[in-house]
Amino acid sequence: MDTTSLFTAALQLPDPWRVSGVEFRDEEDGRRELHIAIGFAAGSRFPCPEPGCGEAACPVHDARERVWRHLNFFQYKAFIHAGVPRVTCPAHGVHAVPVPWARPGSGFTLLFEAMVVELAKSQPVADIAEQVGEHDTRLWRFIRHYVDEARLYEDYTGVEAIGIDETSRKGHRYITVVADLVERNVICVVPGKDSTTIKRFARDFMDHNGDPDRVRLVTCDMSLGFAKGIRERLPNAARIIDKFHVIKHANEAVDKVRKQEARGNALLKRTKYLWSRNESNLTSLQLETKRSPQRRRLKTGRACQMRETLQDIYDTSADRAEAETALKRLCSWMTRPRLEPMKEFARQIRRHWRDILAYFDHPYTNAILEGLNSVIQNVKTRARGFKNMGYFSTMIYLTCGKLDLSTVTT
């Protein structure tokens, strides 16, 4: 088998395409590149590229030269050169024929694009661009294309339980991530974190056969914007304040007490995490320090006991009625001592009373989103930020969306 026949077989070219020449070229920078010429036999005919047209043997009108970047051949950059034929169809006139190795309009072969998309799941696009010797903007263009195309095939017909959480891209620029709590994957990424965010989600949800009226559970934080959007766009959904967000607010209240008290008490210096962590996560020395009678008598110690009581309510309550009784006692306790941050936290609980207690009817949490958020933050850190929000959203879908890329990359 000669070289051209070998490369024709390796590229799996269908008739009438064939490799007509292979050569190495020396570039000005001293590197060598592999250039593969592909052609077709004189007199070849092609099907009309218009969808639905049955004309299978259109004559070639002319051909226009194109070049595509291909997978490296060992350490050498490889390029494919071909004259792309335009055919004459009796019904549709002159149209360019799609080539079997690349998408229309792309400067890369399908194999090259598939490799980069796969690498992008675990590496920053800027690093991949440096490895393959291309500008990252060119890579982003087709990565976004494949992610957007794959999302067109997503079907959210049976989705009834979702989690909503926001994350920041840079500074105070936020995006909202929506996850299917059953399938445990991201189904929507939209900018912002207010009621209009839910409106944009609902529109995207319906575009993928989702029915906002069938959503019965939504877990989220205490955002009033989210609450308003859920009432308006997901009318039949029970809103559940995520228990981890409630405990997070309790930790913040305890820390405010600690900061106030630490101004006049050296015992509280550098003890922030002693009071905010669960005791199971403390070392024996830290646990002994925290439980010392001297520290237990501090205002911070009392505030910490309140936070631990809240944790116990979530961990041990058998049903909503038991939780409601215990939560009433806790709020009453928090409003009696002179601990203003804990009083404010009690008022916050009362403002969201029904939605906090909804957890005990439907014990869903945003734990899935918290796990996905750690992946998202890792992606953001790994990439050292993103040039725009579109790139960030694309990477979230690629890494956390469970997209079936095989439908669009093969």
Side-chain angles (χ1 to χ4, degrees):
M1 181 180 289
D2 61 19
T3 302
T4 57
S5 299
L6 181 63
F7 273 88
T8 298
L11 293 171
Q12 298 183 331
L13 297 177
D15 289 334
W17 297 102
R18 64 190 182 191
V19 173
S20 56
V22 179
E23 66 171 327
F24 280 100
R25 297 180 187 174
D26 294 320
E27 299 302 305
E28 293 180 359
D29 58 6
R31 291 181 298 181
R32 303 194 78 195
E33 295 177 347
L34 177 68
H35 292 261
I36 305 168
I38 295 178
F40 53 88
S44 296
R45 290 175 175 261
F46 298 86
C48 175
E50 282 294 301
C53 182
E55 188 64 44
C58 299
V60 175
H61 176 75
D62 60 13
R64 297 184 175 181
E65 290 297 321
R66 292 282 311 279
V67 181
W68 297 264
R69 172 74 189 278
H70 189 46
L71 294 175
N72 283 7
F73 182 76
F74 293 98
Q75 73 270 34
Y76 304 108
K77 281 186 177 182
F79 297 86
I80 288 178
H81 300 251
V84 178
R86 295 196 304 162
V87 295
T88 303
C89 174
H92 299 104
V94 177
H95 289 280
V97 172
V99 297
W101 58 84
R103 291 184 298 113
S106 175
F108 303 96
T109 65
L110 293 170
L111 288 174
F112 183 92
E113 291 180 339
M115 177 197 72
V116 170
V117 171
E118 189 63 31
L119 289 175
K121 294 178 182 180
S122 58
Q123 297 183 43
V125 174
D127 289 355
I128 300 171
E130 186 176 351
Q131 292 171 27
V132 301
E134 296 287 346
H135 196 283
D136 65 341
T137 301
R138 296 191 71 199
L139 305 189
W140 273 117
R141 191 174 296 125
F142 67 73
I143 291 171
R144 291 189 68 179
H145 164 80
Y146 283 119
V147 169
D148 291 344
E149 284 291 305
R151 286 205 73 232
L152 293 178
Y153 291 88
E154 293 292 285
D155 190 334
Y156 305 142
T157 301
V159 175
E160 296 183 351
I162 62 173
I164 301 175
D165 198 11
E166 82 276 352
T167 185
S168 62
R169 185 179 80 87
K170 188 176 182 181
H172 295 288
R173 300 177 65 184
Y174 289 90
I175 61 170
T176 293
V177 178
V178 183
D180 179 348
L181 296 180
V182 176
E183 293 298 324
R184 305 171 71 88
N185 64 293
V186 170
I187 60 175
C188 189
V189 181
V190 288
K193 59 168 188 173
D194 54 20
S195 61
T196 61
T197 300
I198 308 301
K199 177 181 178 181
R200 288 191 289 270
F201 156 70
R203 189 182 302 121
D204 181 85
F205 191 56
M206 290 187 287
D207 288 343
H208 294 88
N209 299 322
D211 183 355
D213 291 339
R214 288 192 59 184
V215 176
R216 60 186 181 85
L217 296 172
V218 181
T219 61
C220 62
D221 59 18
M222 296 184 186
S223 165
L224 296 178
F226 283 167
K228 181 175 183 289
I230 292 167
R231 285 196 304 271
E232 294 174 349
R233 304 295 168 177
L234 307 171
N236 299 318
R239 179 169 171 255
I240 304 169
I241 300 296
D242 177 52
K243 75 171 186 178
F244 296 111
H245 279 92
V246 179
I247 293 172
K248 176 185 174 184
H249 285 293
N251 281 328
E252 290 171 351
V254 172
D255 194 51
K256 287 178 182 177
V257 174
R258 181 195 64 83
K259 286 180 179 178
Q260 292 173 2
E261 195 174 14
R263 293 173 189 148
N265 195 323
L267 284 173
L268 292 167
K269 298 297 183 181
R270 296 185 294 276
T271 63
K272 176 179 179 178
Y273 297 107
L274 198 66
W275 305 106
S276 61
R277 287 178 179 170
N278 291 331
E279 291 193 350
S280 59
N281 296 326
L282 298 177
T283 66
S284 56
L285 179 60
Q286 289 173 327
L287 193 57
E288 183 180 348
T289 302
K290 178 181 176 181
R291 288 178 173 176
S292 68
Q294 193 177 15
R295 282 188 166 81
R296 277 299 198 188
R297 288 194 293 270
L298 297 172
K299 291 180 180 179
T300 306
R302 294 203 305 276
C304 184
Q305 290 174 48
M306 295 171 184
R307 197 273 296 174
E308 290 169 349
T309 300
L310 175 65
Q311 183 98 42
D312 289 340
I313 292 171
Y314 275 111
D315 293 342
T316 63
S317 295
D319 53 34
R320 181 192 179 108
E322 183 178 327
E324 185 167 15
T325 300
L327 204 55
K328 285 179 180 177
R329 285 199 300 265
L330 174 61
C331 288
S332 177
W333 181 21
M334 288 192 292
T335 54
R336 282 200 301 269
R338 295 179 180 179
L339 302 175
E340 190 55 42
M342 304 312 294
K343 288 183 180 180
E344 175 54 37
F345 177 57
R347 289 192 287 268
Q348 191 175 31
I349 289 177
R350 285 168 173 156
R351 286 196 297 271
H352 299 277
W353 188 259
R354 185 184 65 178
D355 296 332
I356 289 175
L357 286 173
Y359 167 80
F360 299 95
D361 291 326
H362 311 285
Y364 281 83
T365 72
N366 270 5
I368 294 166
L369 271 165
E370 293 300 320
L372 293 174
N373 192 47
S374 66
V375 176
I376 292 167
Q377 295 305 318
N378 182 47
V379 167
K380 183 171 66 173
T381 302
R382 200 172 60 206
R384 298 180 293 279
F386 291 90
K387 293 180 180 178
N388 60 51
M389 196 66 79
Y391 290 171
F392 194 17
S393 299
T394 295
M395 288 308 301
I396 294 173
Y397 284 126
L398 185 62
T399 56
C400 303
K402 294 185 180 179
L403 300 176
D404 185 5
L405 291 165
S406 64
T407 58
V408 293
T409 57
T410 58

